[in-house]
Amino acid sequence: MNLKKWVAAATFVFTLTSYADNIVPVSEETHSTAAALRDKAFKDDSAYEILKSLTTEVGARHPGTPGEKAAIEWGVNKLKALGFDKVYTEDVKMNGWLRGVETAEIILPSYQKMIITALGRSKSTPKKGLEAEIVHFKNYAALEQAPDGSLKGKIAFISNRMERFKNGAGYGPANIARSKGHEIAAQKGAEALLIRSIGTDDHRNPHTGATNVAMGYTEVPAVALSNPDADQLVRLLEYGHTPKIRLNIQTKDLGPIVTKNVIGEITGSERPDEVVVIGGHLDSWDLGTGAVDDGAGVAIAMATASLIKSNTDKNPRRTIRVILWGAEELGLIGARAYAKAREEDGSIANHIIGSESDFGAGPVYGLQSSNNISPNALHVVDTMASLMGELGVTRRPGNTSGGPDMIPLAALGVPAINLMQNGTDYFDLHHTPDDTFDKVNPENMRQNVAAWTVFTFMAAQWPGSFK
Ligand SMILES: [Zn+2]
């Protein structure tokens, strides 16, 4: 071997050794405990029972309503009853908004009632409603193309349908009409905005949802039509009619209110300051009882931590912090406040890894990790995926923020994983009156908790760094 080859070989061996030095293996014990937890969780109905209680004994949980107040109390009491070591709440200031009257009718060319709902923070129509012809746009981009001021005295109607995908990929492209359509409609001079619901069903249920307004009101009244009603308008247009609509929306700006993040912890036995964050959002839209969005996530996270706690006398090394996020639907309000406070007090550095369950109650099929996870921790995520293999979960490529309420934490560099759920039917129910407990399959809830116990336990117990 010449010198050059020797140096190359020695460098290679040295690199391998130092790489191996940084890799903290998953111990036999951690591996077998995670497998046992998974098997135990798969036979345990506690998440289903927690969800039943939340959706039945509390119901809808929209910020600023008695339902939200009851949910916060429910969360505190339930976390205590489940044996969490520490239970507390954190106040979050926000602006409240409530829906009131919402009716719509086609008055020409024939009289027909329509099923509609106001979008979040929609402004009211005049007290007696308004009457106007609709102008049809095939999508948001088409509305953008209309000349400014060209819709004076008209209602802008956007009719494109959200596409159905297992991973919900149709949501983002369709959603812009809901979030920003009101601004463009106002710019074009329209009296109001009417959109086809952002949903994949064919039921006569409208889908509500947030607009991009943080406080106050949308620029014009902004309303979603049920899918069959949107189809009806499109057919009338195809017959060559110009439908005239009567619309009455009355909503209320509640001004400043306080919501809360509800937090329960399983205190770490060796590194209590290091935190693994899991959770779901406690608030829901007001139309249904928030079973799939996001009572399921709340229940999965609570059951996961509680199962880990009750499994042995000794808690995992790190603290498991279950956060029932407040006011997600109106713009991740609780999550933003939480992240801002941790950035300011520096405790963001102790957030080791996190994830939120907020994509319904379908089974988990994939495990993704964020790009910022240390290469030396990827083998742990791979081990989690292999332990979840029996549940039908496989390791998936792609970056993730770990769920909506994790976005502010991910933006501050907290590593995240995503337990990808089958959301093929999620947008049939999402934000509708049909989001109710009966839609949830108990076996899928068990499967979710089984996967979540593997992730949560290993993240809290494996002593290496994810950063
Ligand atoms: Zn949600």
Side-chain angles (χ1 to χ4, degrees):
M1 188 184 280
N2 66 30
L3 185 65
K4 212 171 159 189
K5 273 190 177 165
W6 183 87
V7 170
T11 307
F12 178 68
V13 170
F14 176 76
T15 310
L16 260 188
T17 315
S18 46
Y19 181 63
D21 279 350
N22 288 329
I23 298 221
V24 180
V26 175
S27 73
E28 273 297 321
E29 199 192 341
T30 299
H31 194 275
S32 64
T33 306
L37 274 165
R38 173 199 64 202
D39 297 345
K40 197 170 167 186
F42 199 55
K43 293 187 207 102
D44 185 290
D45 274 320
S46 52
Y48 189 70
E49 292 302 324
I50 292 167
L51 178 60
K52 182 161 82 180
S53 166
L54 175 61
T55 52
T56 308
E57 298 185 282
V58 177
R61 311 174 287 283
H62 182 69
T65 64
E68 188 210 28
K69 205 169 161 238
I72 291 164
E73 246 180 73
W74 173 93
V76 168
N77 292 336
K78 195 60 95 182
L79 288 164
K80 284 182 179 164
L82 287 168
F84 278 69
D85 298 315
K86 206 173 151 192
V87 178
Y88 54 102
T89 62
E90 291 181 353
D91 286 2
V92 179
K93 289 181 188 153
M94 62 176 289
N95 254 60
W97 172 92
L98 289 183
R99 98 180 54 250
V101 171
E102 41 188 28
T103 62
E105 297 131 311
I106 301 170
I107 49 177
L108 283 174
S110 53
Y111 178 86
Q112 303 181 45
K113 271 192 146 181
M114 295 196 293
I115 307 293
I116 58 143
T117 194
L119 299 179
R121 300 200 195 272
S122 172
K123 125 186 218 187
S124 301
T125 60
K127 274 269 177 293
K128 287 184 174 167
L130 62 85
E131 289 181 7
E133 286 178 350
I134 61 166
V135 179
H136 179 213
F137 298 93
K138 290 206 155 126
N139 50 43
Y140 174 83
L143 174 61
E144 273 186 311
Q145 296 303 312
D148 285 359
S150 62
L151 300 182
K152 272 223 150 67
K154 311 281 188 189
I155 295 173
F157 167 48
I158 302 178
S159 70
N160 63 296
R161 179 180 267 275
M162 177 187 162
E163 284 187 71
R164 186 187 294 276
F165 291 102
K166 187 177 180 179
N167 66 357
Y171 188 55
N175 202 29
I176 189 160
R178 192 186 82 198
S179 61
K180 292 183 72 180
H182 71 101
E183 278 177 5
I184 310 298
Q187 189 187 319
K188 310 302 179 187
E191 300 283 318
L193 172 74
L194 201 55
I195 64 165
R196 177 191 287 274
S197 281
I198 312 301
T200 47
D201 61 300
D202 286 300
H203 289 274
R204 221 160 166 212
N205 285 320
H207 298 237
T208 189
T211 58
N212 64 336
V213 180
M215 51 200 294
Y217 291 118
T218 55
E219 295 194 25
V220 293
V223 169
L225 277 171
S226 82
N227 277 324
D229 287 285
D231 291 338
Q232 185 80 332
L233 278 187
V234 170
R235 280 192 299 269
L236 282 169
L237 288 155
E238 283 167 357
Y239 276 120
H241 298 296
T242 304
K244 190 173 181 185
I245 306 285
R246 182 185 300 137
L247 184 66
N248 190 352
I249 301 294
Q250 302 302 325
T251 62
K252 196 172 169 189
D253 181 359
L254 291 180
I257 60 168
V258 174
T259 185
K260 290 175 197 291
N261 290 322
V262 177
I263 301 173
E265 294 185 354
I266 308 297
T267 309
S269 57
E270 289 177 24
R271 302 184 196 170
D273 292 343
E274 294 188 9
V275 174
V276 173
V277 170
I278 63 172
H281 63 84
L282 190 55
D283 67 308
S284 75
W285 277 106
D286 47 347
L287 302 178
T289 59
V292 302
D293 188 13
D294 182 29
V298 162
I300 289 163
M302 288 169 85
T304 295
S306 154
L307 264 161
I308 293 170
K309 165 85 182 166
S310 63
N311 192 47
T312 57
D313 291 342
K314 196 179 176 201
N315 288 352
R317 289 191 172 91
R318 297 181 172 118
T319 293
I320 298 168
R321 182 174 290 167
V322 173
I323 308 181
L324 313 182
W325 302 100
E328 186 270 353
E329 296 291 4
L330 288 168
L332 317 180
I333 294 168
R336 289 185 208 282
Y338 176 93
K340 190 165 174 257
R342 269 71 195 177
E343 189 185 19
E344 282 168 7
D345 71 14
S347 66
I348 191 72
N350 299 335
H351 287 63
I352 300 306
I353 193 167
S355 188
E356 181 186 31
S357 171
D358 183 21
F359 199 57
V364 179
Y365 68 90
L367 182 66
Q368 274 180 329
S369 56
S370 59
N371 286 345
N372 63 348
I373 284 191
S374 157
N376 292 345
L378 286 175
H379 74 100
V380 185
V381 184
D382 293 343
T383 304
M384 290 171 183
S386 87
L387 276 162
M388 294 177 198
E390 280 186 27
L391 305 167
V393 179
T394 56
R395 185 78 167 98
R396 300 277 169 148
N399 194 15
T400 180
S401 65
D405 289 300
M406 279 295 300
I407 291 171
L409 287 174
L412 295 174
V414 177
I417 65 108
N418 179 18
L419 288 131
M420 303 164 80
Q421 285 172 286
N422 185 334
T424 308
D425 304 329
Y426 181 56
F427 291 100
D428 293 348
L429 307 169
H430 184 251
H431 299 180
T432 73
D434 227 9
D435 180 1
T436 50
F437 179 69
D438 51 288
K439 311 302 185 303
V440 175
N441 172 332
E443 190 179 325
N444 288 343
M445 290 296 280
R446 292 196 291 268
Q447 191 262 7
N448 268 272
V449 179
W452 276 87
T453 50
V454 170
F455 158 66
T456 308
F457 172 74
M458 288 185 66
Q461 184 68 1
W462 177 66
S465 172
F466 286 96
K467 292 191 182 180

